Amino acid sequence: MRKSLVPMLLLAACGAGGEAIPPGEPLTRLAAGDTLPLITRPAGFGGVLPCADCTGIETTLILEPDGSYRLRETYVGERAPNTFVTVGRWQYLLDSVPQLRLHAGSESTRHFAVTGALTIEARDSSGAVITTDAPLALRRISPPAQLGRVARLRGEFRYFADAATFVECRSGRLFPVAGDSAFVRLQRSYLDQRLSNEASVLVEIHGALEARAGMEEGSADETLVVDSFTVIPHTSACEASRVRALVAVGDWQLVALDGDALPALDRSLQPTLRFVLSEPTMFGNAGCNRFTGRAVLRGLALQPAALAMTRRLCVDSLANARETRYAAVLTEGGWFRLEDSTLVLSQGGVERARFIRR
């Protein structure tokens, strides 16, 4: 992908008050569920950013409520192919000026300052202001249903519920997979390794993201259509597989909740979490009561599910309140990431819970 003069990024948002705003059109106001960081619908920004060796970069970014994003960049004034789509995860950081950070790998983190309800401004890798004569602002738009065009994604190919799927390593976003001859070769490569239904092949796929008929009648899924692929040795890191491997083994201890560090607690009162992904379930101690619930992990996303909890009365009112908050976070689900050996659960772009190995 070509290098630009500044980092590129956008977000996507929804129309206000039920208005039928065409995809890509600027928004003038926001409705409930459209406000960062706790969006309940896809949100977006769009505009043209400066480029070092082209006329400009037309940019559209879709921020998803689960914390993943899809970014389309079109390099204006260049020969085809000049449009690329990437996916990753986004993070909302509270500072003197709120910041948005896009992660698509260690080499391509991008920063934007939230300068208003409807605008963001590109910043450098440290979050500092960039000095340039060209405009750096992107404006809130009504997000397109899908972005299409050339995609180069790294992730895990496997069969999930007898369907070919691809989980992008960094964002954990899951895509159905389709295609012609290249897709057939990818299936053969998978089958040649005699893998079980739960195993995966780590690959880099070149193709396109296209809206195709979904599993439910009248629905559409964003499908990854394969043009070519390269199998990557399993010794290479993929965050989606690393998270699954770690959460499936041993107990986790809650050390922070909604940004608040937990005090030192007796071992019997420490909130914990344990997964049995093969069943799939999760269980643990909420601080006073025990809990259990369904735990479906798709990529890096923990699907929302109700918890069953014992009804012991906690004497400590603070422990009661912490237990209620912890149960609510697990019930709502979210997406996982690893920071060294620390497991972090976020909802959208906001960290909700932090765990260490017990």
Side-chain angles (χ1 to χ4, degrees):
M1 186 176 293
R2 301 295 299 271
K3 299 294 183 181
S4 69
L5 187 62
V6 298
M8 294 159 268
L9 136 58
L10 317 151
L11 321 181
C14 296
E19 298 172 359
I21 301 176
E25 289 296 310
L27 299 184
T28 57
R29 60 191 178 93
L30 301 179
D34 290 339
T35 304
L36 293 174
L38 297 178
I39 53 175
T40 59
R41 294 186 291 262
F45 283 77
V48 179
L49 292 176
C51 177
D53 53 4
C54 66
T55 305
I57 305 166
E58 294 178 354
T59 313
T60 302
L61 173 77
I62 311 297
L63 292 183
E64 299 288 348
D66 65 4
S68 66
Y69 73 80
R70 294 164 296 145
L71 174 66
R72 181 176 65 197
E73 299 164 306
T74 298
Y75 292 76
V76 181
E78 292 191 340
R79 291 176 295 178
N82 63 354
T83 298
F84 303 91
V85 175
T86 57
V87 300
R89 67 170 187 257
W90 62 276
Q91 184 179 8
Y92 187 88
L93 304 173
L94 283 174
D95 206 336
S96 55
V97 177
Q99 301 274 330
L100 283 166
R101 182 179 296 167
L102 296 188
H103 302 273
S106 59
E107 75 288 348
S108 55
T109 300
R110 300 166 182 176
H111 297 256
F112 281 76
V114 181
T115 52
L118 298 170
T119 57
I120 57 175
E121 182 180 273
R123 296 291 175 92
D124 68 14
S125 58
S126 66
V129 175
I130 300 171
T131 303
T132 176
D133 294 332
L136 299 174
L138 299 171
R139 184 172 178 81
R140 197 77 180 252
I141 60 171
S142 177
Q146 52 93 24
L147 293 180
R149 301 299 179 93
V150 176
R152 180 182 299 176
L153 305 180
R154 177 188 175 102
E156 298 175 325
F157 175 81
R158 73 176 66 207
Y159 277 84
F160 180 80
D162 295 325
T165 61
F166 176 86
V167 176
E168 197 276 331
C169 281
R170 191 72 182 181
S171 67
R173 190 172 177 84
L174 185 148
F175 299 94
V177 184
D180 296 321
S181 59
F183 176 49
V184 172
R185 292 196 302 273
L186 178 57
Q187 290 175 307
R188 288 174 179 167
S189 177
Y190 178 87
L191 294 173
D192 286 347
Q193 298 189 44
R194 294 182 172 83
L195 297 171
S196 69
N197 199 46
E198 292 298 317
S200 63
V201 174
L202 184 59
V203 294
E204 181 174 284
I205 290 180
H206 293 208
L209 295 175
E210 296 181 1
R212 297 197 172 188
M215 298 291 290
E216 299 180 9
E217 186 176 352
S219 68
D221 289 334
E222 195 169 35
T223 299
L224 177 57
V225 181
V226 183
D227 288 334
S228 63
F229 69 93
T230 302
V231 176
I232 301 171
H234 266 287
T235 52
S236 300
C238 180
E239 185 158 357
S241 58
R242 288 181 61 218
V243 166
R244 274 199 305 275
L246 282 176
V247 301
V249 179
D251 292 309
W252 295 90
Q253 176 184 331
L254 181 71
V255 293
L257 190 61
D258 289 327
D260 298 327
L262 269 63
L265 298 169
D266 182 86
R267 186 175 177 84
S268 63
L269 298 178
Q270 291 173 349
T272 62
L273 181 62
R274 185 182 180 94
F275 295 92
V276 183
L277 296 180
S278 58
E279 292 189 3
T281 58
M282 61 182 173
F283 57 92
N285 181 10
C288 180
N289 286 280
R290 305 290 298 177
F291 67 86
T292 185
R294 184 170 172 81
V296 176
L297 191 61
R298 293 183 177 175
L300 301 178
L302 177 66
Q303 301 299 297
L307 295 180
M309 189 173 294
T310 59
R311 298 186 178 182
R312 177 185 174 189
L313 179 64
C314 302
V315 177
D316 188 340
S317 60
L318 291 178
N320 263 323
R322 183 168 56 242
E323 180 173 90
T324 300
R325 288 168 58 200
Y326 182 37
V329 168
L330 294 180
T331 298
E332 293 164 6
W335 57 272
F336 284 115
R337 72 175 187 271
L338 293 173
E339 293 183 2
D340 296 323
S341 58
T342 301
L343 182 67
V344 180
L345 178 65
S346 297
Q347 290 167 4
V350 180
E351 180 181 316
R352 299 300 308 278
R354 183 173 289 261
F355 303 86
I356 59 172
R357 184 72 76 190
R358 198 169 193 227

